[in-house]
Amino acid sequence: MNAPAGPRYLLGFDTDALTKRECDVLVVGSGIAGLVAALQASQFARVLLVTKGELSETNTWYAQGGIAGAVGETDSVELHLSDTLIVGQGLCEPDVVRAVVGEAGDALGELVSLGVAFDRSADGRVALAREGGHSLPRVLHSGDATGAEVQDTLSAIVRRSEAIELVEDAFLVDLLTENGRCVGALVLEAGATEPTAVWAGATVLATGGCGQVYRVTTNPLIATGDGVAAAWRAGAELADMEFVQFHPTALDSASSPKFLITEALRGDGAYLLDCNEERFMLGVHPLAELAPRDVVSREIEKVMVRCGRPNVWLDARHLGAEHLAERFPKIWETCLEAGFDLSRDLLPVAPAAHYMVGGVLVDINGRSTLRGLFASGEVTASGLHGANRLASNSLLEGLVFSRRIVRALELDRPQPHAAHITGAGAGGPAGEPAMARSDIERTMSTSVGMTRTHDGLDAACCELEGIAASLGNTGPTVEAMEARNMATVAALIACAAHHRQESRGTHFRSDHPVRDDDRWRVRLAWTRSADAPREIPVGVAPEAGAVAVGLE
Ligand code: SIN
């Protein structure tokens, strides 16, 4: 099964004829990764921050649980490292994990100094929650709206900064490349009919994930994989695409995206019950309801089939109304609005696509394999997560990688230079983006979800190829470009899942149900110019990727 081809650029253009902008550092995306990169780079560089929607419409804003960091008295970097490696099922890059968890304390301290308010216990110490896969409480949080606290605090600072030029409602069309180097990007600004050419000395992608390729997801509507698809078209290497994390407990209601019920609620003692109101995680894993997410989600899937129901039940009744309303105010309110009193009612929950483990392959300093292009956060395959992400390691990843990128840029002091670049765009019919989008969601949910088979993936790859072909000439509308990006990323996920003939972490093949370290303890990296993936043994990927394209 080949990775998708397609045109180099989404649109036909000639940069000489376009409106231009120029900056030292272009940051695309405004979740924690983008905001931290922009704020830190603005200390020494002219920064342009472009974001697809409003500054705060990001995956970060929706994050409930918190940020993991070994800051507790009985915790250690070694323990956090060990939990991350166990959950990552043999595919984490140990050096990357050590670097990230080792920097967590400093990075979290910086957030606090910027004004992020984490909950504290009565003695004034930072309060720590427990989530799946963690051997002890380690998650710093702000009630059950940690992402919103981080997002709002950092967004306010960015808005006040005179050193950051901010452009909201600006869609990343493509990365501009010249002689194998990223020299900026094409962005479509609100109300424009043609893109703007942005010349940048360095470009930092922080565009988040692609949950929207699935019908049931916790991700907001903007999560359409635009950064991953643009990096792919520009020739950057992608990796770990087969690994998509499903969160076990999204509220089973009609809302779309699905409302997340944080794992911290199970960390506080809530149980999962089947249709006979019996706990089913006991005996499945020593951590029961706090087993790694892949284990819990798959068990829920089995129970739903056994019970013939679209959900299982979350039981938090024994935690009491007062505690629930105080510790989880957003969940408490949202559930009440949906007709559930958590202190009296069982809550219907089901797994939902939540997090893309794969993405743009980066080294330990966030450098992609395309010179001039850096990436941070969910858009990357950094090697931190392996085959499955440890809960609340994602905001940490964006935070730490953006700090590392900026440290590298401070040494490089990138300068923009204007080039003359033309692109042909795609030929063929314009297609119907809304129909394509719904076909992608159906195909991915049916055949590339939590349980996969060779035949299902075969069929999915063919269907996704057909959907991409049907889109042909994208046209300069955001809707059409999003659909094209979703088709590309969905095809890459399906293709990678087809290739990996084993089960590991979030990737479960019922026709190859066993983890096979002899054959598959390798990461799969894909580029547009190669037919087959590059297999990267664990422990050499970041350096090998960086050297392959030549660090400046
Ligand atoms: C949660 O609060 O359960 C989600 C946090 C995460 O995705 O790490």
Side-chain angles (χ1 to χ4, degrees):
M1 209 45 58
N2 286 340
R8 162 66 186 92
Y9 287 103
L10 281 181
L11 303 176
F13 68 95
D14 179 334
T15 52
D16 278 359
L18 299 179
T19 307
K20 320 246 194 326
R21 289 179 184 269
E22 207 179 87
C23 58
D24 302 327
V25 178
L26 168 64
V27 178
V28 189
S30 60
I32 188 169
L35 294 174
V36 170
L39 280 170
Q40 295 216 341
S42 70
Q43 312 281 327
F44 58 85
R46 289 176 302 149
V47 175
L48 177 66
L49 172 59
V50 299
T51 189
K52 184 174 176 179
E54 279 183 31
L55 190 59
S56 291
E57 180 58 358
T58 67
N59 253 354
T60 292
W61 193 90
Y62 291 87
Q64 294 180 356
I67 311 185
V71 298
E73 261 181 14
T74 54
D75 204 355
S76 68
V77 165
E78 290 307 316
L79 266 182
H80 191 180
L81 172 86
S82 156
D83 288 346
T84 304
L85 295 179
I86 290 168
V87 169
Q89 296 262 323
L91 285 193
C92 295
E93 298 292 349
D95 289 351
V96 172
V97 182
R98 185 172 290 284
V100 173
V101 302
E103 197 171 323
D106 280 354
L108 287 162
E110 187 183 350
L111 280 190
V112 172
S113 71
L114 289 171
V116 174
F118 292 114
D119 292 348
R120 295 189 177 265
S121 34
D123 61 6
R125 289 186 201 181
V126 73
L128 299 171
R130 185 153 179 205
E131 292 186 22
H134 290 276
S135 51
L136 76 186
R138 175 182 289 137
V139 179
L140 290 83
H141 51 85
S142 310
D144 57 357
T146 313
E149 168 66 18
V150 172
Q151 181 80 49
D152 293 345
T153 306
L154 300 186
S155 294
I157 303 174
V158 163
R159 281 199 190 281
R160 285 197 302 271
S161 167
E162 287 177 4
I164 300 172
E165 189 179 354
L166 169 64
V167 186
E168 293 170 277
D169 294 315
F171 184 83
L172 170 69
V173 178
D174 262 307
L175 296 165
L176 290 164
T177 47
E178 190 197 38
N179 301 327
R181 184 188 172 92
C182 178
V183 292
L186 289 178
V187 296
L188 187 67
E189 299 186 29
T193 51
E194 282 203 302
T196 302
V198 181
W199 304 124
T203 301
V204 182
L205 273 184
T207 45
C210 196
Q212 286 291 323
V213 297
Y214 291 93
R215 189 174 295 144
V216 177
T217 177
T218 61
N219 289 188
L221 289 173
I222 49 146
T224 52
D226 309 316
V228 176
W232 169 255
R233 288 190 293 274
E237 210 167 14
L238 309 184
D240 305 331
M241 292 301 290
E242 61 275 39
F243 300 110
V244 177
Q245 183 176 76
F246 283 72
H247 194 287
T249 54
L251 182 63
D252 181 31
S253 67
S255 79
S256 184
K258 295 292 174 198
F259 181 69
L260 185 72
I261 307 293
T262 179
E263 210 159 42
L265 195 57
R266 278 175 279 136
D268 258 28
Y271 305 133
L272 288 167
L273 303 179
D274 66 11
C275 46
N276 300 316
E277 299 194 13
E278 281 171 14
R279 284 180 73 184
F280 54 85
M281 285 307 299
L282 295 170
V284 171
H285 191 280
L287 293 173
E289 280 87 352
L290 288 178
R293 282 184 191 163
D294 59 320
V295 177
V296 182
S297 291
R298 256 194 306 281
E299 199 57 29
I300 291 177
E301 194 180 48
K302 280 191 219 156
V303 170
M304 288 180 351
V305 170
R306 167 163 65 77
C307 289
R309 289 192 56 87
N311 62 273
V312 295
W313 303 105
L314 188 67
D315 184 1
R317 294 172 297 184
H318 50 291
L319 301 182
E322 201 181 326
H323 173 72
L324 288 166
E326 190 191 318
R327 169 69 180 87
F328 303 102
K330 188 164 170 56
I331 292 177
W332 176 259
E333 282 302 324
T334 306
C335 289
L336 278 181
E337 278 163 25
F340 300 100
D341 175 339
L342 276 180
S343 67
R344 293 161 191 246
D345 302 321
L346 296 176
L347 196 65
V349 292
H354 182 59
Y355 186 85
M356 243 180 87
V357 173
V360 181
L361 182 69
V362 291
D363 74 4
I364 206 160
N365 291 315
R367 286 182 165 101
S368 79
T369 60
L370 176 64
R371 278 185 303 144
L373 180 67
F374 295 73
S376 174
E378 189 174 352
V379 70
T380 67
S382 70
L384 173 64
H385 308 310
N388 187 19
R389 173 173 67 83
L390 181 67
S392 286
N393 264 358
S394 52
L395 295 182
L396 179 65
E397 179 187 42
L399 172 62
V400 171
F401 266 89
S402 288
R403 286 161 52 102
R404 298 182 75 90
I405 288 170
V406 173
R407 290 204 290 266
L409 290 178
E410 194 167 6
L411 297 175
D412 277 0
R413 298 287 171 136
Q415 303 281 320
H417 85 273
H420 176 217
I421 300 174
T422 57
E432 293 186 46
M435 192 187 287
R437 200 169 165 138
S438 117
D439 287 347
I440 292 165
E441 287 168 16
R442 179 185 39 75
T443 303
M444 293 299 283
S445 305
T446 310
S447 308
V448 201
M450 288 189 333
T451 301
R452 301 154 173 191
T453 63
H454 173 274
D455 291 352
L457 291 167
D458 236 7
C461 291
C462 290
E463 282 165 36
L464 291 164
E465 209 175 300
I467 295 167
S470 80
L471 282 166
N473 181 358
T474 306
T477 71
V478 168
E479 194 196 14
M481 291 189 279
E482 280 183 336
R484 181 115 219 157
N485 289 338
M486 287 169 66
T488 299
V489 177
L492 283 160
I493 296 170
C495 199
H498 188 272
H499 197 85
R500 183 175 288 279
Q501 295 174 22
E502 65 153 358
S503 291
R504 182 189 295 269
T506 64
H507 172 68
F508 182 73
R509 291 270 305 248
S510 57
D511 50 342
H512 295 281
V514 177
R515 170 173 156 178
D516 177 359
D517 275 349
D518 289 342
R519 168 64 186 93
W520 290 108
R521 195 150 179 252
V522 289
R523 297 172 68 198
L524 301 176
W526 306 79
T527 25
R528 209 161 142 266
S529 54
D531 284 344
R534 180 167 77 97
E535 297 194 0
I536 313 173
V538 171
V540 301
E543 289 78 14
V547 170
V549 294
L551 296 176
E552 291 118 293

